[in-house]
Amino acid sequence: MRLWSIHPRYFDAQAVTSSWREGLIAQRVLAEPGSSLRSHPQLQRFLEAEEPLEAVAAYLGGVADEAGARGMDLDRSRIIAAGSLREPLVVTDGQLDYEWGNLRRHLLERSPDVAARWARVWRPQPHPVFVVVGGGVAAWELA
């Protein structure tokens, strides 16, 4: 499961689609308290939110917004919460940089045109549910 901290504007179509799919999986896991996948490292920051389902719904909403801007049709009725956050989730600049390196490698392999469009971006903007703070790569990423 990969729930990118990066704004979906930097994604190719494959990353938009997979972010939607992975977000829906995360939503299902968070909605089922007994799920064995609740301990998945990618879910940690959503579980730390005051309302985890609202947090993942807001994440899905951001992906759906980007998809809509590209003319892609994602079924928003699959989002089961309102997606309103009182406070944004936190992502460190180190985590954002780490993910940016991973995403750039994927884009170079499968979507060189998209990689070229963003080649001059040193650090991308975060997904709208996140606010960037100083720090290293998340411990759950390295686990």
Side-chain angles (χ1 to χ4, degrees):
M1 183 181 311
R2 167 56 68 187
L3 300 168
W4 297 98
S5 305
I6 297 169
H7 196 293
R9 79 168 43 99
Y10 303 102
F11 296 172
D12 59 356
Q14 184 176 342
V16 170
T17 303
S18 65
S19 292
W20 176 254
R21 184 183 64 246
E22 300 294 318
L24 290 173
I25 291 168
Q27 176 181 251
R28 187 181 70 232
V29 169
L30 293 174
E32 299 172 11
S35 174
S36 63
L37 290 176
R38 274 181 88 83
S39 62
H40 192 287
Q42 288 281 324
L43 294 179
Q44 182 176 341
R45 56 195 166 169
F46 292 93
L47 287 165
E48 291 171 356
E50 191 172 316
E51 296 287 338
L53 273 176
E54 293 292 331
V56 79
Y59 179 87
L60 285 164
V63 174
D65 289 346
E66 180 61 28
R70 297 178 186 205
M72 299 169 70
D73 186 31
L74 299 179
D75 183 4
R76 287 180 181 266
S77 71
R78 298 183 70 188
I79 302 174
I80 62 174
S84 57
L85 293 176
R86 291 184 203 183
E87 294 183 20
L89 302 177
V90 172
V91 63
T92 62
D93 51 7
Q95 178 65 28
L96 202 60
D97 293 345
Y98 178 83
E99 291 184 25
W100 184 231
N102 286 339
L103 180 60
R104 287 175 58 171
R105 280 189 292 283
H106 289 299
L107 293 176
L108 285 168
E109 289 178 18
R110 67 178 184 234
S111 300
D113 56 323
V114 177
R117 182 180 324 134
W118 304 115
R120 293 182 181 228
V121 174
W122 176 68
R123 177 175 291 143
Q125 293 179 321
H127 183 289
V129 300
F130 294 104
V131 63
V132 181
V133 299
V137 177
W140 51 261
E141 184 74 73
L142 303 174

